Structures are given as C-alpha cells and as structure tokens.
Amino acid sequence: DGDTLGGIFEVQVKGVPVGLGSHAHWDRRLDGKLAWALMSIPGIKGVEIGDGFACAGRRGSQVHDELFYEPGKGYYRTTNRAGGIEGGMSNGEILVVRAAMKPIPTLQKPLRTVDIRSHEPGLASVQRSDTCAVPAAAVVGEMAILTVIAQEFLAVFGGDSLKEIEERWHRFQ
C-alpha cells in the first residue's frame, strides 16, 4: 500500500550473573542502562523489561515473582515477570527485554508538509524506503544489550588481565 510498519522485538539473554547493576545508584541501574541503550536506536519509542507495561494494570500479587528454596536446588522462582532484573540489578533469571519501534517515516505515499522557505503546503519527498526496519533493529538491539551486559560484567569481575577476570568469575561461581 506504499505505507510502512513498526513493531516490537524481544531479546532474551540466558546466563546473566546475579548482581549486575546497582540498587543504590540511579545512574548504574541495569534496567536504566538497557533502556538507554535501546532508546538510542533510531525509531525506538518504548522499552519494557519482563512484563513491563502489562504490570501497570495488575495487582502486586500478579506481578511479583515469588521466591522458593529446595536443598540441592537452592533458591528459585517459578515465574520471571520481572524479566531478570529486580531493584536495578540482575537476579539470575533470563533477561527479557522488548523494544517498540515506530514505522519508518519515508513513505511511498507522501505525507502533507510545509515548504520551509515559502510556508506553502506541499507533499514530503518520496524516496526509496524499506517497509519495516524492525528485524534490522532487533540485531542492533541484541548488540546494544550484550554490550551493556559485558560492561556490567567487567564492572563487577574486571581486572588487569583476562586471567584475573577468569579467576574472579570462577571464585564467584
């Protein structure tokens, strides 16, 4: 139809260690850093972690993930509504992040506009356009999320050498 489409992509990251981010510093919260990274991608207009926007219409008993313990298994949850982040920090569950992207503005059917010099009404220029950039944005989003996770991993386990990082990681495990 000469129009464009937006959409939502989801990125899941397994194996994120517990404790990345901060519960005490607003500028070091993992959820904030992930949202910043995704919102930096052109066309992204919304980001949610876990059940995100759906949580606003639910009661707390339907939102929060209960904690259980079994000897030999340790601590665990049966749900992951928080999307792997609680209190600004990773909680060891699968990280689930979604981003909403608006449709590309370059349409084959031009929108109305105004000429900047003459102030006369006109039509926007028509140029080549993809129909939907969501699949490409998803690849960029994956890299943005993994970059943030890598930075946060190094903030916790980093050292002067790969050997030192590996030693710290193994001690943590």
Side-chain angles (χ1 to χ4, degrees):
D1 294 337
D3 216 334
T4 57
L5 301 170
I8 297 171
F9 65 83
E10 178 177 290
V11 177
Q12 294 187 11
V13 184
K14 297 178 184 175
V16 177
V18 174
L20 302 187
S22 174
H23 68 281
H25 300 92
W26 68 270
D27 58 334
R28 292 176 30 204
R29 294 178 59 92
L30 183 58
D31 43 3
K33 288 185 173 192
L34 292 168
W36 173 83
L38 289 174
M39 291 295 288
S40 297
I41 301 168
I44 300 300
K45 294 299 183 184
V47 174
E48 72 175 345
I49 312 285
D51 286 355
F53 294 112
C55 292
R58 296 181 186 156
R59 295 173 181 246
S61 60
Q62 299 169 318
V63 170
H64 301 291
D65 300 309
E66 294 179 300
L67 190 61
F68 301 95
Y69 179 82
E70 284 182 24
K73 184 175 186 177
Y75 295 101
Y76 69 96
R77 293 177 167 87
T78 58
T79 59
N80 186 23
R81 297 178 191 116
I85 299 177
E86 292 179 273
M89 299 177 70
S90 58
N91 65 11
E93 297 291 326
I94 296 171
L95 183 67
V96 180
V97 185
R98 286 179 212 86
M101 184 178 200
K102 71 180 184 76
I104 298 168
T106 54
L107 307 172
Q108 295 302 315
K109 291 193 240 177
L111 297 174
R112 292 178 292 174
T113 189
V114 175
D115 184 286
I116 294 174
R117 290 192 181 128
S118 70
H119 302 116
E120 294 296 318
L123 295 175
S125 63
V126 175
Q127 57 190 33
R128 181 204 158 293
S129 173
D130 295 327
T131 303
C132 181
V134 176
V139 174
V140 175
E142 284 179 346
M143 256 345 273
I145 288 171
L146 293 176
T147 299
V148 170
I149 297 301
Q151 290 169 337
E152 292 302 304
F153 183 89
L154 289 174
V156 174
F157 302 106
D160 292 330
S161 68
L162 186 54
K163 182 179 180 192
E164 189 176 354
I165 295 168
E166 288 174 337
E167 287 171 359
R168 290 176 178 182
W169 171 240
H170 291 301
R171 268 196 312 261
F172 175 81
Q173 291 177 312

